[in-house]
PDB file of all heavy atoms in Angstrom:
ATOM      1  N   PHE E 118      21.226  -5.908  46.555  1.00  0.00           N
ATOM      2  CA  PHE E 118      20.095  -5.838  47.494  1.00  0.00           C
ATOM      3  C   PHE E 118      19.894  -7.201  48.136  1.00  0.00           C
ATOM      4  O   PHE E 118      19.828  -8.233  47.429  1.00  0.00           O
ATOM      5  CB  PHE E 118      18.819  -5.410  46.749  1.00  0.00           C
ATOM      6  CG  PHE E 118      17.620  -5.279  47.635  1.00  0.00           C
ATOM      7  CD1 PHE E 118      17.525  -4.260  48.573  1.00  0.00           C
ATOM      8  CD2 PHE E 118      16.587  -6.208  47.558  1.00  0.00           C
ATOM      9  CE1 PHE E 118      16.425  -4.145  49.404  1.00  0.00           C
ATOM     10  CE2 PHE E 118      15.476  -6.072  48.372  1.00  0.00           C
ATOM     11  CZ  PHE E 118      15.394  -5.045  49.319  1.00  0.00           C
ATOM     12  N   ASN E 119      19.835  -7.237  49.462  1.00  0.00           N
ATOM     13  CA  ASN E 119      19.652  -8.499  50.152  1.00  0.00           C
ATOM     14  C   ASN E 119      18.530  -8.430  51.176  1.00  0.00           C
ATOM     15  O   ASN E 119      18.216  -7.373  51.722  1.00  0.00           O
ATOM     16  CB  ASN E 119      20.970  -8.984  50.793  1.00  0.00           C
ATOM     17  CG  ASN E 119      21.535  -7.987  51.775  1.00  0.00           C
ATOM     18  OD1 ASN E 119      20.955  -7.722  52.827  1.00  0.00           O
ATOM     19  ND2 ASN E 119      22.697  -7.413  51.441  1.00  0.00           N
ATOM     20  N   ILE E 120      17.921  -9.606  51.418  1.00  0.00           N
ATOM     21  CA  ILE E 120      16.810  -9.752  52.354  1.00  0.00           C
ATOM     22  C   ILE E 120      17.163 -10.897  53.298  1.00  0.00           C
ATOM     23  O   ILE E 120      17.444 -12.019  52.861  1.00  0.00           O
ATOM     24  CB  ILE E 120      15.493 -10.061  51.626  1.00  0.00           C
ATOM     25  CG1 ILE E 120      15.186  -9.017  50.569  1.00  0.00           C
ATOM     26  CG2 ILE E 120      14.348 -10.184  52.621  1.00  0.00           C
ATOM     27  CD1 ILE E 120      14.014  -9.374  49.670  1.00  0.00           C
ATOM     28  N   ASP E 121      17.116 -10.630  54.591  1.00  0.00           N
ATOM     29  CA  ASP E 121      17.458 -11.611  55.621  1.00  0.00           C
ATOM     30  C   ASP E 121      16.277 -11.736  56.586  1.00  0.00           C
ATOM     31  O   ASP E 121      15.865 -10.778  57.198  1.00  0.00           O
ATOM     32  CB  ASP E 121      18.709 -11.117  56.362  1.00  0.00           C
ATOM     33  CG  ASP E 121      19.309 -12.184  57.282  1.00  0.00           C
ATOM     34  OD1 ASP E 121      18.638 -13.204  57.504  1.00  0.00           O
ATOM     35  OD2 ASP E 121      20.429 -11.969  57.749  1.00  0.00           O
ATOM     36  N   THR E 133      16.127 -17.414  56.236  1.00  0.00           N
ATOM     37  CA  THR E 133      16.178 -17.348  54.772  1.00  0.00           C
ATOM     38  C   THR E 133      17.000 -16.103  54.401  1.00  0.00           C
ATOM     39  O   THR E 133      16.959 -15.089  55.087  1.00  0.00           O
ATOM     40  CB  THR E 133      14.780 -17.237  54.143  1.00  0.00           C
ATOM     41  OG1 THR E 133      14.201 -15.980  54.489  1.00  0.00           O
ATOM     42  CG2 THR E 133      13.888 -18.366  54.595  1.00  0.00           C
ATOM     43  N   TYR E 134      17.732 -16.236  53.320  1.00  0.00           N
ATOM     44  CA  TYR E 134      18.590 -15.125  52.886  1.00  0.00           C
ATOM     45  C   TYR E 134      18.657 -15.113  51.361  1.00  0.00           C
ATOM     46  O   TYR E 134      18.859 -16.164  50.719  1.00  0.00           O
ATOM     47  CB  TYR E 134      19.995 -15.256  53.471  1.00  0.00           C
ATOM     48  CG  TYR E 134      20.894 -14.077  53.174  1.00  0.00           C
ATOM     49  CD1 TYR E 134      20.857 -12.942  53.948  1.00  0.00           C
ATOM     50  CD2 TYR E 134      21.799 -14.140  52.114  1.00  0.00           C
ATOM     51  CE1 TYR E 134      21.700 -11.840  53.689  1.00  0.00           C
ATOM     52  CE2 TYR E 134      22.634 -13.070  51.841  1.00  0.00           C
ATOM     53  CZ  TYR E 134      22.579 -11.928  52.635  1.00  0.00           C
ATOM     54  OH  TYR E 134      23.403 -10.865  52.349  1.00  0.00           O
ATOM     55  N   ALA E 135      18.486 -13.935  50.780  1.00  0.00           N
ATOM     56  CA  ALA E 135      18.591 -13.776  49.327  1.00  0.00           C
ATOM     57  C   ALA E 135      19.414 -12.523  49.037  1.00  0.00           C
ATOM     58  O   ALA E 135      19.261 -11.515  49.717  1.00  0.00           O
ATOM     59  CB  ALA E 135      17.225 -13.667  48.682  1.00  0.00           C
ATOM     60  N   ASP E 136      20.281 -12.622  48.021  1.00  0.00           N
ATOM     61  CA  ASP E 136      21.153 -11.503  47.640  1.00  0.00           C
ATOM     62  C   ASP E 136      21.186 -11.404  46.121  1.00  0.00           C
ATOM     63  O   ASP E 136      21.639 -12.339  45.453  1.00  0.00           O
ATOM     64  CB  ASP E 136      22.553 -11.727  48.213  1.00  0.00           C
ATOM     65  CG  ASP E 136      23.474 -10.556  47.925  1.00  0.00           C
ATOM     66  OD1 ASP E 136      22.978  -9.449  47.685  1.00  0.00           O
ATOM     67  OD2 ASP E 136      24.718 -10.754  47.953  1.00  0.00           O
ATOM     68  N   THR E 137      20.702 -10.333  45.578  1.00  0.00           N
ATOM     69  CA  THR E 137      20.679 -10.131  44.134  1.00  0.00           C
ATOM     70  C   THR E 137      21.523  -8.905  43.763  1.00  0.00           C
ATOM     71  O   THR E 137      21.680  -7.993  44.575  1.00  0.00           O
ATOM     72  CB  THR E 137      19.252  -9.916  43.616  1.00  0.00           C
ATOM     73  OG1 THR E 137      18.693  -8.736  44.244  1.00  0.00           O
ATOM     74  CG2 THR E 137      18.362 -11.106  43.913  1.00  0.00           C
ATOM     75  N   LEU E 163      22.180 -13.640  40.912  1.00  0.00           N
ATOM     76  CA  LEU E 163      21.676 -14.141  42.189  1.00  0.00           C
ATOM     77  C   LEU E 163      22.835 -14.813  42.905  1.00  0.00           C
ATOM     78  O   LEU E 163      23.240 -15.909  42.526  1.00  0.00           O
ATOM     79  CB  LEU E 163      20.529 -15.129  41.959  1.00  0.00           C
ATOM     80  CG  LEU E 163      19.897 -15.741  43.217  1.00  0.00           C
ATOM     81  CD1 LEU E 163      19.210 -14.648  44.052  1.00  0.00           C
ATOM     82  CD2 LEU E 163      18.897 -16.818  42.847  1.00  0.00           C
ATOM     83  N   TYR E 164      23.382 -14.137  43.913  1.00  0.00           N
ATOM     84  CA  TYR E 164      24.541 -14.672  44.609  1.00  0.00           C
ATOM     85  C   TYR E 164      24.159 -15.607  45.745  1.00  0.00           C
ATOM     86  O   TYR E 164      24.848 -16.596  46.004  1.00  0.00           O
ATOM     87  CB  TYR E 164      25.362 -13.507  45.194  1.00  0.00           C
ATOM     88  CG  TYR E 164      26.195 -12.759  44.183  1.00  0.00           C
ATOM     89  CD1 TYR E 164      26.141 -13.081  42.813  1.00  0.00           C
ATOM     90  CD2 TYR E 164      27.034 -11.727  44.571  1.00  0.00           C
ATOM     91  CE1 TYR E 164      26.886 -12.381  41.897  1.00  0.00           C
ATOM     92  CE2 TYR E 164      27.803 -11.020  43.641  1.00  0.00           C
ATOM     93  CZ  TYR E 164      27.731 -11.353  42.313  1.00  0.00           C
ATOM     94  OH  TYR E 164      28.484 -10.669  41.408  1.00  0.00           O
ATOM     95  N   HIS E 165      23.073 -15.280  46.441  1.00  0.00           N
ATOM     96  CA  HIS E 165      22.625 -16.119  47.558  1.00  0.00           C
ATOM     97  C   HIS E 165      21.128 -16.294  47.481  1.00  0.00           C
ATOM     98  O   HIS E 165      20.388 -15.350  47.170  1.00  0.00           O
ATOM     99  CB  HIS E 165      22.973 -15.501  48.902  1.00  0.00           C
ATOM    100  CG  HIS E 165      24.439 -15.237  49.106  1.00  0.00           C
ATOM    101  ND1 HIS E 165      25.284 -16.166  49.658  1.00  0.00           N
ATOM    102  CD2 HIS E 165      25.182 -14.153  48.829  1.00  0.00           C
ATOM    103  CE1 HIS E 165      26.513 -15.649  49.721  1.00  0.00           C
ATOM    104  NE2 HIS E 165      26.473 -14.427  49.205  1.00  0.00           N
ATOM    105  N   ALA E 166      20.638 -17.483  47.800  1.00  0.00           N
ATOM    106  CA  ALA E 166      19.208 -17.766  47.940  1.00  0.00           C
ATOM    107  C   ALA E 166      19.113 -19.080  48.695  1.00  0.00           C
ATOM    108  O   ALA E 166      19.126 -20.151  48.079  1.00  0.00           O
ATOM    109  CB  ALA E 166      18.512 -17.839  46.597  1.00  0.00           C
ATOM    110  N   PHE E 167      19.052 -19.004  50.024  1.00  0.00           N
ATOM    111  CA  PHE E 167      19.094 -20.251  50.797  1.00  0.00           C
ATOM    112  C   PHE E 167      18.168 -20.193  52.011  1.00  0.00           C
ATOM    113  O   PHE E 167      17.770 -19.135  52.478  1.00  0.00           O
ATOM    114  CB  PHE E 167      20.526 -20.569  51.246  1.00  0.00           C
ATOM    115  CG  PHE E 167      21.172 -19.571  52.160  1.00  0.00           C
ATOM    116  CD1 PHE E 167      20.885 -19.576  53.534  1.00  0.00           C
ATOM    117  CD2 PHE E 167      22.065 -18.632  51.689  1.00  0.00           C
ATOM    118  CE1 PHE E 167      21.484 -18.667  54.393  1.00  0.00           C
ATOM    119  CE2 PHE E 167      22.673 -17.702  52.534  1.00  0.00           C
ATOM    120  CZ  PHE E 167      22.364 -17.729  53.885  1.00  0.00           C
TER     121      PHE E 167
END
Side-chain angles (χ1 to χ4, degrees):
F118 181 69
N119 58 67
I120 306 171
D121 191 348
T133 67
Y134 185 83
D136 183 22
T137 60
L163 180 65
Y164 284 3
H165 302 270
F167 63 80

